[in-house]
Amino acid sequence: MSVVWERRRTALRSGWREFTAQRSGVAGLVVLGVAVAVAVLGPLLTGASALDVTRVEAAAWEPPGPGHWLGTDHTGRSVALLVLNGTGASMLVGLTAAALSVAIGTLVGIASGHFRGWPASALMRVTDFFLVVPQLVLAIALSAVLPRGLGTIVLAIGLTSWPATARVVRAQTLAVEARPYVERAHALGGGHLHVIAHHVVPAVLPLVLVNTTLAVASSIVSESTLAFLGLGDPTHLSWGTLLHQAQLFGAVSKEAWWFLLPPGLGIMGLVLAFTLVGRALETVINPRLRS
Amino acid sequence: MRIAGKLLGAGVSLGMIVVLGFLLFRVIPGDPVVSWARGRPVTPEMLASMRSSYGLDKPLFVQFLSYAGGLLHGDMGQSFSYNRPVLDVIGERVGPTLLLVGTSTVIAVILGLWLGIRSAWRRASTFDRVSTSVALALWSTPTFWLGMLLMIATGDLFPSRGMRDTDTAPDFVSQSLDVAHHLVLPSVTFVAVVYAQYQLVMRSSMLEEMHAPYLTTARAKGLRDDLVRRRHAVPNALLPAVTLVFLHLGLVVAGAITTETVFTWPGLGLLFYDALSGLDLPLLQGLLVVTAGAVVVMNLLADLLYGVLDPRVRAA
């Protein structure tokens, strides 16, 4: 056992070296670190009263200037504070939705790759179906019929975005199970559980990690889209909800660019950071991508 | 045999969409009439009469049969908010969406494939680095946000609402020019967000072919670099890219919904948004079945086309 762990630790160390060799991945990681800090510290810094519509003193639609360095929204709240506060909601939904989606995808992928017969092919059919059907349409439908809230958005994204992961995990499962050492494990009497836990899962895990990072990126975009369409949680102002309000209260016709730019740039930065980290990880586990 | 299998698969998918539409809109929400009536002044008698006119007082199984039977006859029920058959409401909106999505997709595919081929061929060049970074940045951008920024940035240069002005002369030429003028901003937004995936897919697909022995052979024959790329590498790299493009059709639907909402372009996407804000469940259900069904059919066509293009697929 200890030999195995020693080997894994060495692999991890060389993987980390490979990762840090890619500047874009490291840049993404730094952005993520800053975003997490902002998400945690943001609500502590602002306090509840600053965002209470009934207690603001500034005028509505004030352009950036002293006092409000990012201007104010349609109720006179500070855009800077709104965006700081929205970081947490956007990240939370992105992370949990991605975790749900990758968990379902991994389970379905391993099950349909490991087992034979009609249940596996039925599972594959379902995966292909959800891969093709427009994800946003399903997510809209789900969040329209369930009660509004962050939980609903997480469910709507997680339950509709797993097929891509399932496809990748299944392919990897099939590849691993074709190896002689798995045949040996079978011959020595290893059951389903043993083969899955000791051979399939460790081989699939790096891929799952990459997929999770990329899934967080797309979940954040999905969340902002659902929120923009008015399906967000009105009590948790995520970046998407802010943009929805900007659209609703005519930020475009008032040319209030200061209310539009910061939340959008936040989404873009966070998504880009997760994508860059994901692509860097992909290069680490897939040597063919290295130049 | 392969074709029969594909047809059967698409048939099963269409059936699953029908079942999904029923589950989502009749089973999960409980009583669609109640959720529609929330915040509207209605009496219990009105609710009861609505329920019986939509057949919601019958057992679920009976409801499913009448819903599925109706679909077979092209009947998707009545829209709550338009008080007209759902299919009629949807039918009116297909044209503008096809115009927007069609124009933009053609531009996006050409732009994306061209950039993808170029940047893979000159891998790690400045062109590759810049165009890939731009593609990644746009890929991370929410469509609707880009649309709103474009509106502010261009000011009064282009109209940003609807599809035509009411005071345009009724003759064909000025009407078309007006629609084209209105089309600029929505299609620029759409292209900007959609082309990136084509570029990234084409780039990695080209990279897979870059070291293939047949390219060395082609060069050894003395072919110009340009011809090696155009005649040998691109056709082979194109096939996987085309499949992925069709697999990503759902993203095109998503792009249509957000773009049309931002620019109030009177197509299916805006109808989606309106049905959503009015909680018009029969209309949403119809839209789900129609858009998902259209994507499944398009994928079937792509699959069949793929078999014609690539002999290896036929053999498999």
Side-chain angles (χ1 to χ4, degrees), chain B residues 161-182:
Chain B
R161 296 185 66 80
M163 196 167 125
R164 49 168 66 97
D165 290 329
T166 44
D167 53 353
T168 312
D171 64 291
F172 180 74
V173 176
S174 25
Q175 283 285 335
S176 314
L177 281 178
D178 189 33
V179 170
H181 195 207
H182 279 80

Side-chain angles (χ1 to χ4, degrees), chain A residues 85-155:
Chain A
N85 254 297
T87 317
S90 294
M91 264 195 121
L92 190 69
V93 173
L95 287 172
T96 41
L100 179 64
S101 139
V102 170
I104 300 175
T106 308
L107 276 179
V108 172
I110 291 183
S112 66
H114 177 81
F115 295 102
R116 305 264 162 267
W118 69 265
S121 37
L123 218 49
M124 222 37 231
R125 261 242 56 92
V126 173
T127 311
D128 280 346
F129 170 74
F130 278 102
L131 200 60
V132 163
V133 172
Q135 189 226 329
L136 182 68
V137 173
L138 283 186
I140 287 178
L142 260 180
S143 22
V145 295
L146 294 173
R148 293 285 145 89
L150 287 187
T152 295
I153 295 220
V154 168
L155 270 184

Side-chain angles (χ1 to χ4, degrees), chain A residues 55-259:
Chain A
R55 277 193 267 175
V56 288
E57 283 132 27
W61 299 120
E62 228 174 276
H68 304 280
W69 50 279
L70 281 180
T72 60
D73 73 346
H74 56 283
T75 57
R77 290 175 297 184
S78 155
V79 172
L81 292 184
L82 282 172
V83 171
L84 274 186
N85 254 297
T87 317
S90 294
M91 264 195 121
L92 190 69
V93 173
L95 287 172
T96 41
L100 179 64
S101 139
V102 170
I104 300 175
T106 308
L107 276 179
V108 172
I110 291 183
S112 66
H114 177 81
F115 295 102
R116 305 264 162 267
W118 69 265
S121 37
L123 218 49
M124 222 37 231
R125 261 242 56 92
V126 173
T127 311
D128 280 346
F129 170 74
F130 278 102
L131 200 60
V132 163
V133 172
Q135 189 226 329
L136 182 68
V137 173
L138 283 186
I140 287 178
L142 260 180
S143 22
V145 295
L146 294 173
R148 293 285 145 89
L150 287 187
T152 295
I153 295 220
V154 168
L155 270 184
I157 298 171
L159 289 180
T160 55
S161 61
W162 54 268
T165 310
R167 262 333 261 275
V168 177
V169 169
R170 175 174 184 268
Q172 180 75 354
T173 308
L174 287 175
V176 169
E177 299 219 345
R179 300 263 178 85
Y181 68 81
V182 175
E183 201 183 332
R184 170 187 167 273
H186 277 302
L188 289 178
H192 291 305
L193 201 66
H194 174 85
V195 171
I196 289 178
H198 289 264
H199 298 296
V200 175
V201 168
V204 159
L205 223 48
L207 259 183
V208 169
L209 184 66
V210 170
N211 255 289
T212 312
T213 346
L214 295 176
V216 178
S218 63
S219 300
I220 291 173
V221 174
S222 301
E223 187 275 335
S224 73
T225 308
L226 289 178
F228 175 74
L229 294 173
L231 294 164
D233 182 344
T235 55
H236 290 91
L237 296 174
S238 73
W239 289 333
T241 321
L242 290 182
L243 288 174
H244 171 62
Q245 297 191 345
Q247 158 94 347
L248 210 59
F249 294 101
V252 169
S253 58
K254 294 206 163 49
E255 302 199 345
W257 52 268
W258 59 88
F259 192 20

Side-chain angles (χ1 to χ4, degrees), chain A residues 12 24 51-52 148 232 243 245:
Chain A
L12 208 63
S24 57
L51 297 180
D52 191 336
R148 293 285 145 89
L243 288 174
Q245 297 191 345

Side-chain angles (χ1 to χ4, degrees), chain B residues 160-213:
Chain B
S160 57
R161 296 185 66 80
M163 196 167 125
R164 49 168 66 97
D165 290 329
T166 44
D167 53 353
T168 312
D171 64 291
F172 180 74
V173 176
S174 25
Q175 283 285 335
S176 314
L177 281 178
D178 189 33
V179 170
H181 195 207
H182 279 80
L183 190 61
V184 173
L185 281 188
S187 56
V188 166
T189 310
F190 198 98
V191 169
V193 175
V194 171
Y195 92 89
Q197 53 163 332
Y198 302 135
Q199 177 183 341
L200 296 175
V201 166
M202 190 63 203
R203 181 177 178 272
S204 54
S205 168
M206 273 293 271
L207 285 180
E208 296 269 314
E209 301 290 332
M210 287 298 280
H211 301 294

